[in-house]
Amino acid sequence: ELIMEDIEDYEEQIIDYQERIEADLADFDETNAVDKLNKINSIKKSIENMADNVKYYKQAIQRLSMSQSGSEFMENYRKFSKRVDDFRAVLKQKKSQLKNEGGLEDYDDVLEDSVSLDDNLGKVRQLGLNVQDKSKNKLDAIRARVAQTHQIADQNLEELERQKEQILRIQESTQKLDSTMVRTKKYLQYFGRSFCRDPVTLTMLFLILATLVGVIVVQCLDEKK
């Protein structure tokens, strides 16, 4: 989703620069010589910016996963790239046209100074784009680590849920065992009270004890004899 957002952003910027260039070219012939020179510099900057965005547009397309189709975007990339080449060819014609028209003293010096300034700006722009590339790569790596962390956290949560269910089952078994023990205790108390209150049972117990005592006494007397 983040890559798709980058692609859409680059596409919007490319179209915006394209519209600016087309507007400047449409007004070019209606301006004076000084304004035409300014138009040329403005068009050149817009073309370079558009070319940079086209390059990053292609890189964003290449980052798409294999499960996503980039054919539509590659077709747009080819159109944008061709449009940049067309603009550069038109700009070259406009430069020749302005130089042939005259009306500016030391035009070559002015144009050379402008080109030198554009070169410096281009170097600064390229440096900024390189930093932007590195930042995007680092950002992608951070996003990947964050996604991995989220995945591990989800797995840990699932494991905790399983352990919680096991603990609940053990607690339920313990409660059932406690209930069984309480019932057993009640039954023992009931049978104990019943046994002590039953005269027949007590008589039988007395007779058994008396018999045991008699047997022990007779055994002792026989041993003395």
Side-chain angles (χ1 to χ4, degrees):
E1 294 180 359
L2 294 174
I3 297 177
M4 291 299 299
E5 289 179 4
D6 290 342
I7 291 175
E8 292 174 357
D9 290 341
Y10 287 133
E11 202 169 86
E12 290 178 0
Q13 294 180 31
I14 292 170
I15 294 174
D16 181 62
Y17 282 120
Q18 178 177 311
E19 292 176 350
R20 291 186 195 178
I21 295 169
E22 290 173 347
D24 286 339
L25 290 174
D27 298 338
F28 184 83
D29 293 331
E30 300 178 1
T31 58
N32 56 45
V34 176
D35 289 339
K36 285 181 179 179
L37 180 58
N38 293 331
K39 286 280 187 185
I40 286 176
N41 291 331
S42 176
I43 292 170
K44 181 179 179 182
K45 292 177 182 179
S46 297
I47 291 174
E48 295 306 318
N49 289 332
M50 181 177 175
D52 290 337
N53 279 278
V54 170
K55 179 179 70 175
Y56 288 109
Y57 180 77
K58 181 182 179 181
Q59 293 177 356
I61 294 172
Q62 292 173 342
R63 290 202 304 268
L64 285 174
S65 63
M66 296 300 295
S67 61
Q68 294 174 291
S69 175
S71 59
E72 177 184 354
F73 299 116
M74 287 302 298
E75 180 64 25
N76 290 339
Y77 162 74
R78 285 189 285 270
K79 291 180 181 178
F80 291 145
S81 182
K82 184 178 183 304
R83 197 63 177 143
V84 169
D85 294 338
D86 292 342
F87 283 143
R88 283 174 174 163
V90 173
L91 179 62
K92 186 176 181 180
Q93 293 176 358
K94 295 300 181 182
K95 285 182 179 179
S96 299
Q97 176 185 340
L98 180 59
K99 189 173 182 179
N100 293 333
E101 287 178 356
L104 282 178
E105 295 180 357
D106 300 327
Y107 169 79
D108 290 334
D109 294 337
V110 174
L111 188 59
E112 182 178 354
D113 292 340
S114 176
V115 170
S116 177
L117 178 61
D118 285 344
D119 288 341
N120 291 332
L121 290 175
K123 291 178 181 179
V124 174
R125 186 187 303 111
Q126 185 61 44
L127 178 61
L129 292 173
N130 292 337
V131 173
Q132 183 181 5
D133 269 347
K134 293 179 180 179
S135 299
K136 285 185 176 181
N137 292 334
K138 290 181 179 179
L139 181 59
D140 289 340
I142 292 173
R143 287 171 177 167
R145 284 195 290 268
V146 170
Q148 184 179 6
T149 302
H150 287 170
Q151 183 178 2
I152 294 174
D154 291 339
Q155 292 175 353
N156 290 337
L157 286 175
E158 291 178 0
E159 182 63 26
L160 288 173
E161 286 294 333
R162 286 194 293 269
Q163 293 179 0
K164 180 180 178 181
E165 291 177 358
Q166 291 177 354
I167 292 172
L168 290 175
R169 286 195 295 269
I170 293 172
Q171 184 178 3
E172 184 179 355
S173 299
T174 303
Q175 290 175 349
K176 290 181 179 179
L177 180 60
D178 290 342
S179 177
T180 302
M181 291 179 66
V182 170
R183 288 197 301 270
T184 304
K185 183 179 179 181
K186 289 181 179 179
Y187 291 148
L188 290 173
Q189 290 175 348
Y190 171 77
F191 289 122
R193 286 194 299 268
S194 299
F195 180 80
C196 293
R197 293 174 182 175
D198 187 3
V200 177
T201 303
L202 291 175
T203 302
M204 292 295 294
L205 180 60
F206 176 76
L207 292 174
I208 292 171
L209 290 174
T211 303
L212 289 174
V213 171
V215 170
I216 292 171
V217 171
V218 171
Q219 185 70 27
C220 291
L221 291 174
D222 290 341
E223 288 179 356
K224 287 181 180 181
K225 291 181 179 181

